[in-house]
């Protein structure tokens, strides 16, 4: 299916998925954490979604990636989903889902800093340099004003820093397979990433002892609902929508979910679980998003010239 034959309604649903559903996953984690320890929650999410995608690929007769690519996908999935999303789930024990989403929105800025091959290109562009300065200024004031004013937990600042580190790990993990995808399908690669992340999460559970005192019989309906939403809507519907859109739409357009996800997360957190939101937090969100917009301006201008 090409970009010219893609049904408009299906494209609209895919964008709805990466805009709204991905933004809502931060709230789903909050519900899941009501009964599940963080790495049991994400481990179940990844393992279940991975098994479903892998089974679907095998039913279609697809083969596993070659070993030189398979281990890269496994490492990438572990870094992005355990070191990235798993650490965010841990952090949401101490900060709001909206705060976590705002900090995760800095990934495009972090990507520029770690993509050393393109530094000459990035740091010779006034839009990118200005965007980085504005974006990280927003992060600084968000940590100083937004987090401090809305959380009384002594761990709030630590958790916020953990989220920024998790965003860095996510970016590093994504770079591992950026140019090493092999001949296997994107869905097969995603299933390997999810299965590896599920296994790694299980190791973390054993190491942290999260299983002690945990019983499935004590899990509330809200927590089950959060987990099911993360599996079905977050790891299947939204993620598959994302990889499909990347194949038919310019990356600069698909990446606009970066602007929408934190807004959705902040709004849903305030509406559904009464998470505190203050003016400083909202101003910092606008500043961070303005920085992300500026670093993407060269990509938008290049696309317009084509």
């Amino acid at each position: 299916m090409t970009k010219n034959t893609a049904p408009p309604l299906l494209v609209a649903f895919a964008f709805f998925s990466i805009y709204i559903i991905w933004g809502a996953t931060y709230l789903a984690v909050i519900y899941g954490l009501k009964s599940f320890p963080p790495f049991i929650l994400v481990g179940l999410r990844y393992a279940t979604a991975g098994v479903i995608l892998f089974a679907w690929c095998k039913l279609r007769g697809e083969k596993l990636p070659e070993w030189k690519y398979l281990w890269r996908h496994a490492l990438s999935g572990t870094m992005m989903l355990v070191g990235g999303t798993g650490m965010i789930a841990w952090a949401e024990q101490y900060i709001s889902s909206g705060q976590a989403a705002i900090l995760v929105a800095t990934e495009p800025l972090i990507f520029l800093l770690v993509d050393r091959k393109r530094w000459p290109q990035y740091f010779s562009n006034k839009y990118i340099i200005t965007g980085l300065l504005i974006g990280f200024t927003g992060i600084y004031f968000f940590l100083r004003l937004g987090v401090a004013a809305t959380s009384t937990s002594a761990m709030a600042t630590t958790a916020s820093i953990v989220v920024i580190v998790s965003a860095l790990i996510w970016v590093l993990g994504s770079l591992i397979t950026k140019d090493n995808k092999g001949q296997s399908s994107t869905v097969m690669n995603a299933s390997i990433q999810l299965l590896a992340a599920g296994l790694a999460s299980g190791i973390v559970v054993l190491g942290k002892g999260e299983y002690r005192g945990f019983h499935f019989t004590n899990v509330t309906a809200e927590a089950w609902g959060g987990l099911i939403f993360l599996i079905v809507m977050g790891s299947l519907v939204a993620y598959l929508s994302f990889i499909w859109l990347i194949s038919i739409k310019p990356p600069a357009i698909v990446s606009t979910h970066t602007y929408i996800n934190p807004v959705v997360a902040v709004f849903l957190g305030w509406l559904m679980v009464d998470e505190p939101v203050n003016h400083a937090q909202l101003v910092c969100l606008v500043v961070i998003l303005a920085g992300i917009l500026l670093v993407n301006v060269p990509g938008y201008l290049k696309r317009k010239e084509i």
Side-chain angles (χ1 to χ4, degrees), residues 134-245:
I134 291 175
F136 283 105
T137 298
I139 297 171
Y140 172 78
F141 283 107
F142 179 78
L143 292 174
R144 289 293 301 272
L145 303 175
V147 174
T150 57
S151 177
T152 58
S153 171
M155 286 291 293
T157 300
T158 299
S160 298
I161 295 172
V162 165
V163 172
I164 295 175
V165 173
S166 76
L168 171 62
I169 295 174
W170 175 284
V171 169
L172 292 173
S174 68
L175 289 174
I176 291 175
T177 55
K178 185 175 183 291
D179 300 314
N180 298 281
K181 297 179 181 179
Q183 300 300 312
S184 53
S185 71
T186 303
V187 177
M188 172 60 85
N189 295 339
S191 72
I192 299 300
Q193 292 175 344
L194 287 163
L195 289 171
L199 177 61
S201 295
I203 294 173
V204 175
V205 168
L206 292 175
K208 290 177 79 266
E210 284 190 350
Y211 59 89
R212 298 190 185 97
F214 172 76
H215 301 285
F216 283 104
T217 54
N218 296 330
V219 176
T220 65
E222 281 185 330
W224 280 119
L227 174 60
I228 292 171
F229 184 91
L230 290 169
I231 293 171
V232 177
M233 304 304 291
S235 293
L236 295 178
V237 174
Y239 183 67
L240 290 178
S241 295
F242 174 77
I243 60 177
W244 178 65
L245 284 172

Side-chain angles (χ1 to χ4, degrees), residues 28-103:
V29 168
I30 291 294
Y31 282 114
L33 290 174
K34 290 180 181 292
S35 297
F36 291 102
F39 285 96
I40 289 181
L41 176 68
V42 297
L44 290 171
R45 171 188 180 180
Y46 302 143
T48 305
V51 167
I52 292 171
L53 287 183
F54 184 77
W56 185 73
C57 288
K58 296 307 291 182
L59 287 173
R60 288 167 50 89
E62 295 188 28
K63 296 181 179 180
L64 284 170
E66 300 174 56
W67 170 249
K68 64 179 180 179
Y69 297 117
L70 189 147
W71 77 264
R72 290 190 180 102
H73 290 303
L75 177 60
S76 173
T78 299
M79 292 179 67
M80 290 192 298
L81 300 176
V82 181
T85 310
M87 289 172 62
I88 293 169
W90 175 87
E92 284 193 50
Q93 296 175 108
Y94 308 103
I95 61 175
S96 71
S97 59
Q99 290 171 342
I102 291 171
L103 293 169

